[in-house]
């Protein structure tokens, strides 16, 4: 798939499915494949295999490969599959090579979690992956400390299709978009539906979503409204999911994936608990709040 086709997909909704585990706590390829099938069948534009909602950092490399195999099988050509890569640069490049072999359309690099990572060197990390990957790269930026020049150096690389911008520094985002080449990487809202209108207002296009696991039609409604320039409609839909997103941010985002997985269980899909250090299970009060919310959406 061409880099332009990936950019077009990124301008839509990038869904990040969960990873299902069996009763022994092992990756369940069959249920994981079903999760990806459901998201693809809903019409989500780009599907990320083993992203953060898929618990990338709680998986071994072999488990990441199992998830990505399940993703390609479940999506079955209905949308681009963007395979998540990361960890050391050498491991990430190995993951990128395998992603091409299994038929992924692009790769998305998680930002390095090394506590001693310098911002400019993190840009070098992304650019090194873009140089070594035969697939277009999406860079996942989720920390503060980057400059406009850093972002421009990232966005202007010819093999970087998009930047998943996942901080609330909208001033930096706005300035970076203005400074970057018009034909460079697409800046994408990495903070889901609730932030998508604000990001769109400063020039970002598309957004990522964990909600697509549970209520993809709401994600698509937000996207459709923003595509039409109808910010009021987008905000109205976002209000329906505000509580869902607030529950996910509890415990410094430790409940992020937990809320999505328990919502799926409320819908009848057994995906297992979140692995530590994520919150394995919600408490009874939050679970009841979530149950009422999901049932109120009347989605299956």
């Amino acid at each position: 798939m061409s880099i332009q086709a990936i950019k077009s997909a990124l301008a839509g909704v990038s869904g990040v499915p969960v990873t299902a585990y069996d009763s022994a706590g092992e990756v369940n390829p069959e249920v994981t494949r079903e999760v990806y099938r459901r998201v693809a069948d809903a019409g989500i534009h780009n599907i990320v295999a083993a992203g953060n909602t898929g618990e990338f950092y709680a998986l071994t490399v072999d488990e990441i490969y199992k998830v990505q195999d399940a993703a390609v099988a479940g999506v079955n050509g209905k949308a681009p599959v963007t395979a998540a890569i990361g960890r050391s640069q050498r491991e990430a490049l190995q993951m990128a090579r395998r992603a091409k072999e299994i038929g992924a359309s692009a790769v998305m690099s998680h930002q390095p979690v090394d506590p001693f990572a310098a911002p400019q060197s993190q840009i070098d990390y992304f650019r090194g992956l873009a140089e070594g990957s035969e697939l277009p790269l999406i860079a996942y930026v989720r920390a503060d400390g980057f400059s406009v020049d850093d972002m421009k150096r990232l966005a202007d690389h010819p093999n970087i299709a998009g930047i998943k911008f996942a901080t609330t520094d909208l001033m930096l985002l706005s300035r970076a978009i203005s400074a970057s080449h018009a034909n460079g990487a697409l800046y994408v809202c990495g903070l889901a539906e609730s932030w998508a209108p604000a990001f769109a207002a400063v020039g970002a296009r598309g957004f990522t979503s964990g909600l697509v696991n549970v209520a993809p039609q709401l994600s698509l409604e937000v996207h459709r409204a923003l595509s039409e320039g109808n910010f009021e409609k987008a905000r109205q839909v976002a209000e329906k999911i505000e509580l869902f997103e607030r529950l996910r941010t509890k415990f410094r985002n430790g409940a992020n994936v937990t809320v999505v997985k328990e919502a799926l269980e409320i819908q009848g899909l057994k995906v297992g608990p979140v692995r530590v250090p994520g919150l394995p299970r919600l408490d009874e009060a939050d679970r009841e709040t979530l149950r009422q919310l999901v049932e109120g959406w009347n989605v299956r």
Side-chain angles (χ1 to χ4, degrees):
M1 184 172 285
S2 71
I3 194 165
Q4 192 55 50
I6 293 298
K7 288 180 183 179
S8 295
L10 290 173
V13 180
S14 290
V16 192
V18 302
T19 296
Y21 304 123
D22 62 22
S23 58
E26 301 299 321
V27 171
N28 186 324
E30 291 76 20
V31 179
T32 299
R33 186 165 58 245
E34 173 62 14
V35 174
Y36 279 87
R37 185 197 65 76
R38 287 168 35 140
V39 173
D41 285 352
I44 299 304
H45 309 96
N46 174 50
I47 301 176
V48 182
N52 272 347
T53 309
E55 300 180 73
F56 180 85
Y57 283 106
L59 300 171
T60 68
V61 173
D62 285 343
E63 287 177 326
I64 290 168
Y65 293 161
K66 285 183 182 179
V67 170
Q68 293 176 346
D69 289 345
V72 170
V75 173
N76 194 28
K78 295 176 184 139
V81 172
T82 295
I85 62 176
R87 296 191 167 95
S88 72
Q89 194 175 64
R90 292 183 179 186
E91 287 173 297
L93 284 170
Q94 181 180 357
M95 292 179 191
R97 286 190 289 271
R98 186 181 186 277
K100 184 175 187 295
E101 291 171 2
I102 66 171
S105 299
V107 291
M108 182 203 74
S109 175
H110 289 273
Q111 186 175 328
V113 295
D114 191 316
F116 303 120
Q120 64 270 34
S121 297
Q122 292 180 323
I123 301 301
D124 291 337
Y125 172 89
F126 288 132
R127 284 178 61 93
L129 296 180
E131 292 286 346
S133 173
E134 294 185 51
L135 297 175
L137 178 82
I138 297 106
Y140 186 0
V141 173
R142 55 172 293 129
D144 296 317
F146 295 103
S147 68
V148 172
D149 286 343
D150 288 332
M151 300 309 298
K152 183 178 187 303
R153 195 157 65 91
L154 191 60
D156 289 350
H157 191 285
N159 196 38
I160 296 181
I163 297 172
K164 179 181 175 180
F165 194 89
T167 87
T168 58
D169 191 347
L170 295 183
M171 185 64 72
L172 172 61
L173 175 63
S174 177
R175 293 173 62 202
I177 291 172
S178 295
S180 300
H181 194 281
N183 293 323
L186 195 75
Y187 285 87
V188 176
C189 171
L191 296 177
E193 290 82 358
S194 296
W195 279 92
F199 275 62
V202 298
R205 294 182 62 202
F207 56 87
T208 60
S209 174
L211 178 69
V212 296
N213 290 273
V214 182
Q217 77 280 9
L218 294 178
S219 301
L220 292 169
E221 282 185 41
V222 173
H223 177 260
R224 189 158 45 248
L226 291 176
S227 297
E228 296 168 353
N230 190 340
F231 283 81
E232 180 58 30
K233 174 63 174 176
R235 284 193 293 269
Q236 289 173 1
V237 181
E239 285 177 2
K240 295 181 183 179
I241 62 174
E242 179 183 358
L243 180 56
F244 183 83
E245 295 299 331
R246 285 190 180 278
L247 285 170
R248 295 178 71 191
T249 63
K250 291 188 73 169
F251 311 115
R252 298 175 60 192
N253 276 311
N256 193 302
V257 183
T258 319
V259 169
V260 178
K261 280 195 152 186
E262 295 215 13
L264 282 170
E265 299 240 348
I266 289 167
Q267 292 181 333
L269 192 62
K270 302 299 182 183
V271 292
V274 172
R275 287 181 176 175
V276 295
L279 183 72
R281 290 289 190 188
L282 299 177
D283 62 30
E284 288 300 327
D286 283 346
R287 186 174 298 116
E288 178 59 21
T289 298
L290 180 63
R291 184 189 65 77
Q292 293 181 23
L293 180 65
V294 172
E295 291 180 355
W297 288 340
N298 193 30
V299 293
R300 286 291 183 271

